[in-house]
Amino acid sequence: MSINPVYHHTNEKLQQELGWIQRAKSNPEHFGPLYRKYHEQIFRYVHQRMDDTELAFDVTSQVFLKALKNLHKYEFRGVPFGSWLYRIAKSELYQAYRERQAKRTVNVESIHLFEMIEDFDDEQSENNKKKLFKAISELKEEDVQLIELRFFEKRPFKEIGEILDITENNAKVKSFRVLEKLKKIYFKN
Amino acid sequence: MNLDRDPISSEQIQAKQNFDAILSNYQLLKKPFFKSKWFWGATGLATLGLVTVFGLSNLNNNIAYAENTTLTNNQPLTSNLPEDTPCVLPVVENAVSYEVHKVMALEGATLKLKDGSIIKILPGSLIANDMQEPVKVKTRVFHDKASAFLAGVKMDVAEGAFESAGMIEIRTSQNNKEVKINPDKPIEVSLALHKPSESFNFYYLDEKKKEWIDSPCLFSDRVQKSPEENSGKFELVQSELSTIQKELTVNQSQQQELKIELPTKEAYKISENPERIFDLDYDLSDYPELKRLKNVKFEALSNQKNFNRVINTTWSEMDLSTAGNDRFTLTFSNAKLKETIRVRPVLSGAEEQSASELFDKVKGDIDQQLIHLQSAERELKRKEAVKKKQLEKLVSDFELNTRLVMQENQSLSPNNSVQLSQATATFTTTRNGFFNADKPIKYPKPLPFQLAYVNNGNPFSPRNVYIFDQGKDVRYTYGIRNKSMNEIGLNDGEQLLIVIDAMNRVAFAKVNKKYLQQQNFGIINVTLIEQDNINEAYIRKLLNEQQAETLALR
């Protein structure tokens, strides 16, 4: 399983980011480098979870606006600034679902389904792809969220923990259990 | 759900970046002057000063309070427990009672505890000094925060404080000496859980290392009361097993086919044993029919024992006939002797060289495929064994559950609160101690100010602070190795804080982060709990917890 390289920052990168944050805290105009660094990632995260592309851009802007507004509260916890942005994005998404009638969607790529089928030691056929697609749609929202983060977006457990506000170990356990659950539904179907 | 939606390129996304718009929206959001820091910095400080002066002057025992506050704030707040403190440190001895069973070591027993947990002890599991005398099996189950707190069980790991779904302590002894458990016959425990097992891990408490160690267990969220439910799981495992077995059959037949395809040296006309090669020296005019075999070398088949005799004799007559499968029979004779030998033609020189290369290549390829298949076969056999074990476990669980359901139906009366729990953690153990189904919950962020404690105007210096979060069903402990007293944090909402000082005095207070933050300082007035009141019922009442039985049992 590939690892999202953006999350795995070197110490130097983290320090550089911390410098940007400190400067942005004293002058919002210095928030630019952080905006440019994370805009695409946050947009993709939001867009992955909704149908409307324009609305996804809109929500992404809201995320950065909120981040800028609350930057004085931000505390460095040894992980990239992105994990804080993801948490804001998560909350903005829920707000969009509630208040802007945005539809929660799950966007799946065939390649990821085939990868999962391979993990299940099953034949990579169109029929099995449909079967897995159906099995995912039978999962609960919070389970789908884990599948999305881990298997479609290939995020490391540490980052999943940061986004969902759970420990890394808990993210591992939960992902494992969801996968087992999915496997059962898949093979039952 | 969408499948394979058209991707959006990075260029398209970058084209939509507009940091200036974010900045200008931010400017619009900026606070009015009366909400700004400078305004409240100056005004707030002045107000706070006035309020503090008036507030303190109106307090009862105001002088003592002020003095004590100063004293308390000067107390060192990092009073961690000494390193040799045991990790199980009861608040009050025997506050949580044991359920005691007596078991004959030679006979074993299945113990059903009050909360529905089951302990299976095999004959010979307990290594007692006196096998004729019973062994005492003492157990305690913990299904609420009150009992775990009073028993003084450490409930945290590096990753956070434990939220427990159920914990059990098992102690086996005879004449007050610990009875060891036979490593070959571990005890099997099915611990009843009071919460669904999802997202919980399982740990045992290493009392020497003073830490919880991740440990294997089998979580089951529902007792398979109906054959239909059980058969669903059973069928799934069975179908997985059958898939594995099919793959195994295919694998083995592929190996068989490959073994048949393995090339033989005979087929490639390569010598098996160069020492048994010979050629014929004859006059072609005498044997014109052998013209086509001129320059052909022969190798005597390995079972031809007269080979040496044949090649060491001079023959006057020879006859050659085919013997099928590219083999020949050569018959030699002279005035005294007659010998028959079976041979096969073999290549020589450059022809042999290229045939050998081809042979090696084909054989090498097939050998590789065989190695791959054999390794896959081993893996499949391993998987097959795992699935078979799962099936056995399902069968035994089903039998056990059926038996328990029968017992339940027979023994339960309206007054009997003991019922089967819906979730269980099943594990085997060869040690005494604590076993716990838990998940770590992160500690809250430390408060920006330190807390000080007073009781009736007197300073109270806690050795440990325990904060019980009702919402998260967790107890945060401070003044321990992982969390010092300076790191106390609070989640939102009202929390119960219990403090214990060096003299083992226990006190409590209800605290609210919002309120403390508004004050911007943390003086907490704690109420002492009388020694007689330090019991499960009292702590449970403080925590608004129900009786353990009603929680754990359904």
Side-chain angles (χ1 to χ4, degrees):
Chain A
M1 186 159 285
S2 68
I3 298 293
N4 177 1
V6 177
Y7 195 73
H8 288 262
H9 279 40
T10 57
N11 255 343
E12 293 76 45
K13 278 200 170 180
L14 281 176
Q15 289 307 320
Q16 182 194 43
E17 210 175 76
L18 197 56
W20 289 342
I21 294 163
Q22 273 156 0
R23 277 198 294 279
K25 273 185 179 176
S26 54
N27 181 354
E29 285 180 14
H30 290 143
F31 190 73
L34 290 162
Y35 174 79
R36 282 185 285 280
K37 179 173 177 182
Y38 286 108
H39 178 266
E40 182 173 344
Q41 278 181 57
I42 297 296
F43 168 77
R44 290 199 185 279
Y45 174 84
V46 172
H47 190 230
Q48 173 75 14
R49 287 157 179 80
M50 57 169 53
D51 261 343
D52 189 334
T53 306
E54 279 312 308
L55 186 55
F57 277 117
D58 205 11
V59 170
T60 308
S61 297
Q62 279 301 317
V63 172
F64 284 97
L65 188 59
K66 281 265 167 79
L68 198 49
K69 195 183 152 199
N70 293 299
L71 195 62
H72 62 284
K73 292 184 193 164
Y74 174 80
E75 283 172 22
F76 180 64
R77 289 158 70 176
V79 292
F81 182 66
S83 61
W84 189 61
L85 291 176
Y86 279 120
R87 283 217 294 279
I88 299 176
K90 198 176 119 188
S91 125
E92 284 301 307
L93 265 170
Y94 284 129
Q95 201 172 333
Y97 298 145
R98 265 196 323 270
E99 294 169 9
R100 299 166 79 170
Q101 278 77 48
K103 208 173 137 198
R104 164 75 163 115
T105 48
V106 179
N107 289 291
V108 190
E109 286 176 40
S110 293
I111 186 169
H112 296 140
L113 294 178
F114 282 131
E115 277 170 11
M116 292 182 87
I117 293 168
E118 197 183 358
D119 279 352
F120 291 175
D121 284 336
D122 204 4
E123 192 193 341
Q124 293 185 356
S125 64
E126 278 301 314
N127 201 23
N128 283 343
K129 187 176 90 178
K130 281 179 196 158
K131 208 165 87 173
L132 181 57
F133 188 75
K134 187 172 173 289
I136 294 169
S137 67
E138 286 175 32
L139 289 174
K140 285 191 282 187
E141 157 65 18
E142 61 260 38
D143 293 342
V144 173
Q145 188 166 259
L146 269 167
I147 294 280
E148 262 181 318
L149 290 167
R150 181 63 187 161
F151 300 100
F152 300 161
E153 295 167 12
K154 314 279 187 197
R155 293 180 196 276
F157 290 117
K158 192 172 179 190
E159 188 178 8
I160 296 174
E162 285 295 328
I163 294 172
L164 300 180
D165 205 14
I166 55 178
T167 63
E168 182 181 358
N169 195 33
N170 207 355
K172 266 184 212 170
V173 172
K174 279 188 166 181
S175 304
F176 174 75
R177 292 215 171 126
V178 172
L179 190 64
E180 287 299 299
K181 199 189 272 183
L182 181 63
K183 225 182 207 176
K184 274 183 192 169
I185 302 172
Y186 171 83
F187 282 108
K188 207 173 176 180
N189 288 344
Chain B
M1 277 174 64
N2 299 330
L3 184 62
D4 293 330
R5 182 170 66 172
D6 286 340
I8 295 191
S9 69
S10 293
E11 290 73 30
Q12 281 173 287
I13 299 168
Q14 275 162 23
K16 285 275 191 177
Q17 280 188 1
N18 190 348
F19 182 57
D20 290 340
I22 302 278
L23 261 186
S24 51
N25 281 333
Y26 171 73
Q27 300 299 337
L28 290 174
L29 281 175
K30 273 180 99 176
K31 292 174 186 171
F33 77 95
F34 56 85
K35 285 190 178 177
S36 64
K37 272 186 188 169
W38 64 266
F39 179 82
W40 280 106
T43 318
L45 266 176
T47 314
L48 188 67
L50 283 171
V51 167
T52 311
V53 169
F54 284 112
L56 287 179
S57 64
N58 288 332
L59 278 173
N60 291 335
N61 304 322
N62 56 345
I63 299 166
Y65 187 88
E67 283 173 355
N68 291 333
T69 305
T70 318
L71 280 174
T72 314
N73 277 330
N74 289 338
Q75 298 288 320
L77 289 174
T78 50
S79 56
N80 288 352
L81 291 173
E83 279 299 308
D84 58 351
T85 309
C87 59
V88 181
L89 192 64
V91 177
V92 181
E93 286 298 333
N94 304 321
V96 186
S97 56
Y98 284 93
E99 199 175 323
V100 182
H101 296 264
K102 286 186 175 174
V103 176
M104 295 303 293
L106 287 173
E107 293 167 14
T110 298
L111 312 176
K112 189 175 172 194
L113 309 186
K114 281 180 189 163
D115 74 331
S117 298
I118 292 163
I119 301 178
K120 273 201 260 180
I121 301 170
L122 297 173
S125 279
L126 302 171
I127 310 171
N129 268 346
D130 186 344
M131 298 298 268
Q132 304 305 319
E133 283 294 311
V135 173
K136 213 188 255 183
V137 180
K138 283 168 46 176
T139 63
R140 290 194 290 188
V141 284
F142 302 87
H143 289 293
D144 53 33
K145 294 192 285 293
S147 55
F149 166 68
L150 284 171
V153 188
K154 164 193 164 71
M155 291 292 271
D156 61 276
V157 281
E159 291 166 305
F162 270 162
E163 177 188 339
S164 177
M167 175 165 71
I168 188 168
E169 181 189 3
I170 304 170
R171 304 274 172 202
T172 52
S173 65
Q174 193 179 57
N175 301 322
N176 294 324
K177 279 188 183 162
E178 185 187 337
V179 168
K180 299 270 182 212
I181 300 166
N182 185 347
D184 296 328
K185 291 183 177 175
I187 287 178
E188 186 181 304
V189 183
S190 177
L191 171 64
L193 305 180
H194 56 273
K195 287 176 190 173
S197 70
E198 193 164 324
S199 79
F200 280 86
N201 304 327
F202 197 77
Y203 303 82
Y204 78 85
L205 182 61
D206 187 326
E207 289 172 47
K208 277 187 189 156
K209 289 185 183 166
K210 298 177 195 174
E211 58 189 27
W212 288 99
I213 310 286
D214 225 332
S215 173
C217 94
L218 191 72
F219 281 116
S220 160
D221 272 345
R222 265 181 298 168
V223 170
Q224 307 292 312
K225 285 190 176 178
S226 72
E228 292 78 24
E229 279 180 57
N230 197 58
S231 69
K233 212 173 209 177
F234 190 85
E235 274 169 15
L236 182 66
V237 180
Q238 208 168 32
S239 94
E240 286 169 348
L241 175 64
S242 133
T243 311
I244 291 167
Q245 284 172 333
K246 272 181 206 158
E247 283 176 30
L248 200 55
T249 314
V250 171
N251 176 301
Q252 284 165 341
S253 65
Q254 281 175 337
Q255 284 192 54
Q256 283 300 324
E257 281 169 21
L258 278 176
K259 279 175 188 165
I260 293 167
E261 282 175 26
L262 266 175
T264 59
K265 287 192 171 176
E266 190 174 333
Y268 280 72
K269 294 196 168 44
I270 307 168
S271 159
E272 297 264 14
N273 181 356
E275 286 179 9
R276 289 172 76 88
I277 295 176
F278 64 94
D279 56 4
L280 298 170
D281 180 19
Y282 54 91
D283 188 345
L284 200 56
S285 59
D286 292 339
Y287 299 96
E289 73 275 14
L290 295 184
K291 191 179 175 185
R292 68 183 180 91
L293 290 176
K294 189 160 171 53
N295 300 327
V296 169
K297 289 186 189 302
F298 297 98
E299 182 176 284
L301 301 186
S302 56
N303 58 355
Q304 301 298 295
K305 289 177 181 167
N306 59 350
F307 170 71
N308 285 332
R309 244 189 350 263
V310 169
I311 59 163
N312 292 326
T313 309
T314 306
W315 304 98
S316 55
E317 296 290 333
M318 184 191 73
D319 182 52
L320 181 137
S321 59
T322 58
N325 291 337
D326 270 349
R327 290 173 179 183
F328 296 95
T329 303
L330 286 169
T331 308
F332 300 96
S333 57
N334 57 24
K336 294 176 187 170
L337 287 170
K338 186 176 182 182
E339 289 283 351
T340 298
I341 188 166
R342 286 162 73 88
V343 295
R344 66 183 182 89
V346 289
L347 297 170
S348 59
E351 281 178 328
E352 189 204 10
Q353 175 86 13
S354 56
S356 286
E357 281 167 10
L358 186 63
F359 170 83
D360 288 343
K361 186 178 180 319
V362 173
K363 187 170 181 303
D365 284 351
I366 294 179
D367 280 347
Q368 274 299 318
Q369 289 181 52
L370 274 172
I371 288 168
H372 180 72
L373 281 169
Q374 280 158 357
S375 128
E377 184 189 14
R378 279 195 296 276
E379 179 59 18
L380 284 167
K381 281 185 173 165
R382 190 191 62 76
K383 283 185 181 171
E384 185 189 29
V386 170
K387 290 291 159 202
K388 278 183 175 169
K389 265 198 173 165
Q390 280 182 2
L391 273 185
E392 278 171 22
K393 173 84 184 129
L394 277 173
V395 170
S396 78
D397 274 359
F398 180 66
E399 285 170 0
L400 177 66
N401 291 329
T402 310
R403 210 164 55 237
L404 292 175
V405 171
M406 281 168 65
Q407 281 174 12
E408 180 191 27
N409 292 339
Q410 285 164 6
S411 66
L412 281 185
S413 67
N415 295 328
N416 186 351
S417 64
V418 178
Q419 293 181 18
L420 298 176
S421 76
Q422 298 276 309
T424 55
T426 304
F427 62 96
T428 55
T429 179
T430 55
R431 68 178 81 223
N432 279 301
F434 288 87
F435 305 87
N436 201 347
D438 278 285
K439 65 178 167 196
I441 307 285
K442 278 185 184 173
Y443 272 77
K445 277 186 209 163
L447 292 167
F449 43 82
Q450 287 189 350
L451 296 178
Y453 310 86
V454 283
N455 169 246
N456 284 333
N458 297 316
F460 187 97
S461 304
R463 179 192 71 200
N464 286 104
V465 174
Y466 303 90
I467 292 171
F468 295 83
D469 185 330
Q470 302 287 75
K472 292 193 187 261
D473 199 11
V474 66
R475 177 185 97 203
Y476 301 107
T477 309
Y478 298 92
I480 52 170
R481 203 172 356 166
N482 292 340
K483 285 283 161 192
S484 76
M485 301 283 266
N486 294 328
E487 295 175 274
I488 294 178
L490 290 170
N491 288 328
D492 292 335
E494 193 177 69
Q495 320 261 299
L496 177 75
L497 176 142
I498 295 186
V499 284
I500 302 180
D501 71 0
M503 291 154 70
N504 256 358
R505 292 186 306 163
V506 183
F508 75 94
K510 299 263 167 111
V511 288
N512 191 316
K513 182 169 80 174
K514 212 171 178 182
Y515 175 76
L516 289 173
Q517 276 175 338
Q518 277 167 2
Q519 306 296 313
N520 207 24
F521 58 84
I523 297 171
I524 294 173
N525 218 334
V526 296
T527 308
L528 270 181
I529 305 175
E530 283 178 30
Q531 200 63 23
D532 290 348
N533 278 339
I534 306 174
N535 55 46
E536 277 191 85
Y538 190 87
I539 303 291
R540 225 177 254 134
K541 201 173 155 196
L542 283 179
L543 286 164
N544 292 327
E545 282 187 320
Q546 296 168 37
Q547 279 287 324
E549 281 82 3
T550 29
L551 261 179
L553 313 169
R554 293 174 259 276

